[in-house]
Every structure is written in structure tokens, then in C-alpha cells.
DNA sequence: GTGTATTTGTTCGTATGTATT
DNA sequence: TAATACATACGAACAAATACA
């Protein structure tokens, strides 16, 4: 799995790492029980500090995507088995909220319902390919 | 137009204001040429500092949603007429990126393409009602 | 018109938290 | 742990614009 950091991006580096790992899990590039690189090696590969990678892993753990068991490394969790029903419901609500904000933003820019849904379909096709 | 601030939310206050104003424009609650409340009065209403409101307005101006002409107040812009073609193209790309990230995140949580698109349709229906 | 009070956005400095090394 | 740079939010004071007697 390849992670790319854009130092010019306004998004915090740890968040970029977090997003790309979540995306890799979504695409099946990372599967439950897979081991992630150690914070040291990943930090070395990316040319950043280990604390930054550690923060990304900690966020992913808190969100239920990973296990972190001391020195045995970070392991991809089986989200559906790990997450509580409450957590799943909250995630669904948050997704709806974000989609609504994006839709309203698109409309504020003069976009239409049809153009919004067309983009959504296109991206869903890629994401679930 | 009513704005609500959640101090417990992790999202910065100025961003909350920005999002709600964009949403109001999207819903037609705010129309081009409408005047927004002064930074002082809005800050007073919300119980926050004027700089926080000022930052939200400045962001909205930079994004092309508002005009700010000195002390004559902030005015809602006509985005389609104001924004450059490049800006519109960039916004479209960013929307696609965000939707793909959300779709992948949903999939990483065990969601399906169908459930994702169902939520998207539901929210689009509300946003474009 | 004139003078005063009010309203407005801006400039300065400060405190706190976050991100990263 | 310590140090840094940056982001967020606040407060006091300022000067331009406005309202009004």
C-alpha cells in the first residue's frame, strides 16, 4: 500500500495518512488481520516524524479501523464485527450530514440535483469497483 | 437567518458559521444582494468574538460567496456570475474527491454501494427541495 | 452645516490548543 | 519530554462611516 503526503496541502499530515488508509481498507487493498507497517518504517518511508504516524494510527484505532497491540504492530480490524451498533448508527448519521452539506454547497454554487447525483454515482462506481 | 454554534463540536466556530451561511445560500434562504448582519451584531447574538465572525466572512469572500466592502457590510454574491470558470472546475473536482472519500469510508465500514447512494439520494432530495 | 454619539471594520496584542519535529 | 510553529479565539483600542438633534 502506497501513501503519498502533500506537504503543501492544508490538511494535517496525520489526517492525510488516516484518509488514505481508510480508503485502502474501503478498496480492499487492506483486509482484516493485515498488518500495517510499523510507525518507524512508515515515518521513514514518508520522511516525517514517527509521532505524526503514531497520531494517525491512534485516530484509526479510536475510530475502530485498527487494533494496536503494543509491539506487535497495528492490525486492520473487521469493522462490522468490531464496531458497536451505536457507532454504526452514528457513522450513518454523520455520512448523511456530510452529504447534505456537500449537496447544499453544490447548490449554492449553482449546481443542480441532477449534477450532484451524477457525480455521486460516478464516484460510487469507482469506490465500489 | 438563524445560526447556531455548538461549542462542544470539534469543528472551529468560524467554520460552523461558514457552513451554515453556505447552506442558507443553497436553500435560497439567502439570495444574491442580500445583506448579512454586521460582524458585531452577529458576534453579539452568538456570544462570540467579532474576529471569529470576521474570519468566517473573510473565508466566504475568498470562496466567492460574499462581497465585503468596508463598513457597508457583507453582501451575498451571485456565485455563477462571480466565480471564474477555473474556480467552478476546481469546486467540481473537490466535490468529486470528497464524495469518493466518503464512499470509500462507507465501504470500509461495511456499507454497500446501494446504501451509500440511497443516503445520497435522500440528502439531495432535502437539499434541493 | 455642525457637533456628538453610535456603529462599523481593522489593528494591535494575548492566551490557548494543535501539529510536527 | 521539550520545543517549534501555526491555528483558533478573545479583548481593548482605533479611525472611518453613519445617524441625528
Amino acid at each position: 500500500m502506497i501513501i503519498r503526503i502533500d506537504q503543501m496541502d492544508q490538511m494535517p499530515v496525520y489526517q492525510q495518512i488516516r484518509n488514505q488508509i481508510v480508503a485502502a481498507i474501503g478498496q480492499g487493498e487492506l483486509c482484516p488481520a493485515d498488518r500495517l507497517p510499523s510507525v518507524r518504517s512508515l515515518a521513514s518511508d514518508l520522511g516525517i516524524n514517527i509521532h505524526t504516524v503514531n497520531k494517525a494510527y491512534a485516530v484509526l484505532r479510536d475510530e475502530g479501523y485498527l487494533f494496536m497491540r503494543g509491539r506487535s504492530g497495528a492490525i486492520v480490524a473487521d469493522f462490522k464485527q468490531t464496531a458497536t451498533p451505536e457507532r454504526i448508527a452514528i457513522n450513518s448519521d454523520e455520512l448523511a450530514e456530510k452529504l447534505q452539506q456537500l449537496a447544499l454547497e453544490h447548490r449554492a454554487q449553482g449546481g443542480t440535483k441532477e449534477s450532484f447525483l451524477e457525480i455521486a454515482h460516478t464516484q460510487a462506481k469507482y469506490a465500489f469497483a
Side-chain angles (χ1 to χ4, degrees), chain A residues 25-39:
Chain A
I25 296 173
Q27 289 176 319
E29 195 178 340
L30 285 174
C31 300
D34 279 358
R35 283 189 57 179
L36 286 159
S38 71
V39 289

Side-chain angles (χ1 to χ4, degrees), chain A residues 106 111-118:
Chain A
H106 186 61
T112 66
K113 181 180 175 183
E114 288 67 34
S115 62
F116 176 79
L117 287 176
E118 185 192 338

Side-chain angles (χ1 to χ4, degrees), chain A residues 8-129:
Chain A
M8 292 302 100
D9 196 328
Q10 73 223 3
M11 201 185 327
V13 173
Y14 80 90
Q15 187 83 30
Q16 294 183 43
I17 298 171
R18 178 265 178 203
N19 283 351
Q20 291 180 50
I21 290 179
V22 171
I25 296 173
Q27 289 176 319
E29 195 178 340
L30 285 174
C31 300
D34 279 358
R35 283 189 57 179
L36 286 159
S38 71
V39 289
R40 271 198 170 68
S41 67
L42 183 52
S44 174
D45 288 351
L46 300 177
I48 59 178
N49 196 278
I50 63 170
H51 293 322
T52 307
V53 177
N54 202 48
K55 167 131 191 177
Y57 280 15
V59 168
L60 289 162
R61 165 176 48 75
D62 293 344
E63 292 180 325
Y65 291 111
L66 299 185
F67 294 115
M68 288 176 74
R69 276 199 272 182
R71 286 149 199 78
S72 63
I75 298 185
V76 179
D78 187 344
F79 193 90
K80 288 175 77 171
Q81 290 196 343
T82 302
T84 63
E86 297 86 21
R87 168 53 39 200
I88 292 175
I90 291 173
N91 285 344
S92 182
D93 285 352
E94 286 182 353
L95 172 61
E97 258 185 52
K98 289 174 186 169
L99 285 172
Q100 193 180 33
Q101 179 67 31
L102 287 179
L104 286 168
E105 206 156 312
H106 186 61
R107 191 181 181 190
Q109 294 167 5
T112 66
K113 181 180 175 183
E114 288 67 34
S115 62
F116 176 79
L117 287 176
E118 185 192 338
I119 298 175
H121 274 81
T122 302
Q123 296 307 318
K125 199 174 69 176
Y126 281 110
F128 288 91

